[in-house]
Amino acid sequence: MTTPKKVCVVGSGNWGSAIARIVGLNVERNSKFHPTVAMWVFEELVNGRKLTEIINAEHENIKYLPGHKLPDNVVAVADLSEAVSHADVLLFVIPHQFIHKVCDTMQGKIKPDAFGMSFIKGVDESPSGLKLISAVIRDKLGISVSVLMGANIANEVAEGKFCETTIGCKDKDQGTLLKELMQTDHFRVTVVEEAEVVEICGALKNIVAVGAGFCDGLGFATFLESCGIADLITTCYGGRNRRVADAFARTGRSLEELEKEMMNGQKLQGPATAAEVHVLLEQKALLDQFPLFNAVYEICFEGRPVTDFISCVQNHPAHL
């Protein structure tokens, strides 16, 4: 008989907690998985109490996913090495800026036959160029890594609203197992083999979402470029990147200040991804072919007025 696989959710923000909620409910009714789910929590004080203690006592992440109970079998663990040490399946749900530090801490602490799945939407910049986050995890930990990306807003998933998502996994057996781990009646999963394509779509759409927020904040029509991509549409209408960019255009306050005020301790992904992609486009002399990405970068990092956004895109050589 196959030993039930233990699952660890590496991350406990808004999206990480929503994923832990799904996983916790699913493992209870599937004998292929161990019934307890470890969730690594970056320890912090909330109202004078440790967040891990609050989660384990009240079964709710009151800071990042308030109003949604976590299953009793989801156990918050503050020590990363302890959380991952017995896991067979590692689910990475953290801001992409922290992936190196997290993986460095995990090195030598995980089971040799463990495998992972990344929910992280972003890319990694290094002197040698850009790498997918799944590749960073794979290279640092020596494990196989699949990805999950989709038109998903964490609070809607936690509320049980119908959502669809995509798992990119090259191993058929792992893909089947991961689908069983994630799918519910309201969270429908499709598995495809093209994991890199799935991940690239999840990363690049956040840059476009920032552009959508600029347009809304400036009073232009809602930005519908690439409207055939469900994830892009969802992010542009309701995601955090669009909301902060909207406020940036309306108020003139800095992205850093708005992130701190509006994100409740979470990190904005779109501007960081725009900066990392800009490095690659510049290296490859491709900036002229991506005017939207370049405009978002210049507004976020080079002091270009947000009021120049439309003219920056329209007057770019790619449109002339």
Side-chain angles (χ1 to χ4, degrees):
M1 182 177 178
T2 303
T3 303
K5 295 190 180 299
K6 294 184 178 180
V7 181
C8 175
V9 180
V10 182
S12 59
N14 187 231
W15 188 215
S17 297
I19 293 303
R21 190 171 186 272
I22 288 176
V23 171
L25 293 172
N26 277 349
V27 299
E28 285 187 312
R29 50 192 178 219
N30 191 324
S31 61
K32 295 180 183 179
F33 300 101
H34 190 279
T36 300
V37 174
M39 180 174 70
W40 174 60
V41 176
F42 182 80
E43 192 69 280
E44 55 187 304
L45 295 179
V46 180
N47 300 326
R49 299 171 62 194
K50 291 182 178 179
L51 183 56
T52 52
E53 294 178 357
I54 295 173
I55 292 173
N56 290 331
E58 301 175 15
H59 306 293
E60 181 181 348
N61 189 334
I62 63 170
K63 180 170 184 180
Y64 295 112
L65 195 68
H68 300 287
K69 289 293 183 180
L70 296 171
D72 293 355
N73 62 328
V74 173
V75 179
V77 182
D79 186 279
L80 176 58
S81 297
E82 177 188 344
V84 303
S85 61
H86 300 292
D88 301 289
V89 185
L90 298 159
L91 307 179
F92 294 84
V93 202
I94 58 175
H96 79 277
Q97 297 95 324
F98 302 136
I99 194 61
H100 282 278
K101 184 176 181 179
V102 166
C103 286
D104 288 344
T105 302
M106 292 173 60
Q107 284 179 343
K109 307 295 193 330
I110 63 174
K111 297 174 69 171
D113 58 348
F115 59 93
M117 183 159 67
S118 172
F119 296 69
I120 303 169
K121 295 177 177 178
V123 290
D124 180 70
E125 178 194 345
S126 69
S128 59
L130 295 186
K131 291 178 69 173
L132 296 174
I133 299 300
S134 62
V136 174
I137 300 170
R138 190 179 302 115
D139 292 346
K140 282 187 170 287
L141 300 181
I143 61 175
S144 64
V145 185
S146 304
V147 298
L148 183 147
M149 306 282 156
N152 314 131
I153 299 294
N155 284 56
E156 293 182 355
V157 172
E159 290 167 7
K161 294 183 178 180
F162 183 80
C163 301
E164 295 180 316
T165 201
T166 306
I167 289 177
C169 182
K170 296 181 179 180
D171 184 296
K172 185 176 181 181
D173 292 337
Q174 281 187 13
T176 299
L177 188 69
L178 290 169
K179 180 174 181 175
E180 289 186 44
L181 180 63
M182 297 307 309
Q183 181 157 275
T184 71
D185 291 340
H186 59 82
F187 192 66
R188 308 303 294 172
V189 177
T190 300
V191 181
V192 300
E193 293 184 4
E194 297 83 5
E196 292 88 352
V197 178
V198 172
E199 190 168 3
I200 289 170
C201 288
L204 297 185
K205 59 94 182 183
N206 277 333
I207 307 176
V208 184
V210 175
F214 290 158
C215 286
D216 285 350
L218 292 167
F220 299 125
T222 302
F223 191 74
L224 291 176
E225 189 168 323
S226 300
C227 60
I229 304 174
D231 191 14
L232 177 57
I233 294 174
T234 302
T235 307
C236 290
Y237 273 94
R240 64 189 67 165
N241 289 277
R242 191 214 65 80
R243 292 200 309 273
V244 175
D246 184 336
F248 174 82
R250 291 180 189 276
T251 67
R253 296 164 66 192
S254 71
L255 287 172
E256 293 80 6
E257 183 181 2
L258 291 167
E259 178 186 68
K260 184 175 181 180
E261 179 180 305
M262 299 174 64
M263 297 282 287
N264 194 29
Q266 299 180 93
K267 292 294 182 181
L268 201 62
Q269 300 295 295
T273 304
E276 291 152 355
V277 169
H278 186 269
V279 173
L280 177 64
L281 296 178
E282 194 169 40
Q283 289 175 346
K284 303 290 186 181
L286 293 173
L287 287 174
D288 287 350
Q289 297 184 36
F290 294 87
L292 174 62
F293 290 179
N294 193 46
V296 169
Y297 172 80
E298 290 182 355
I299 291 169
C300 289
F301 297 102
E302 294 190 344
R304 182 132 189 179
V306 68
T307 49
D308 287 355
F309 179 62
I310 294 300
S311 61
C312 188
V313 174
Q314 288 179 336
N315 298 329
H316 201 279
H319 290 285
L320 299 178

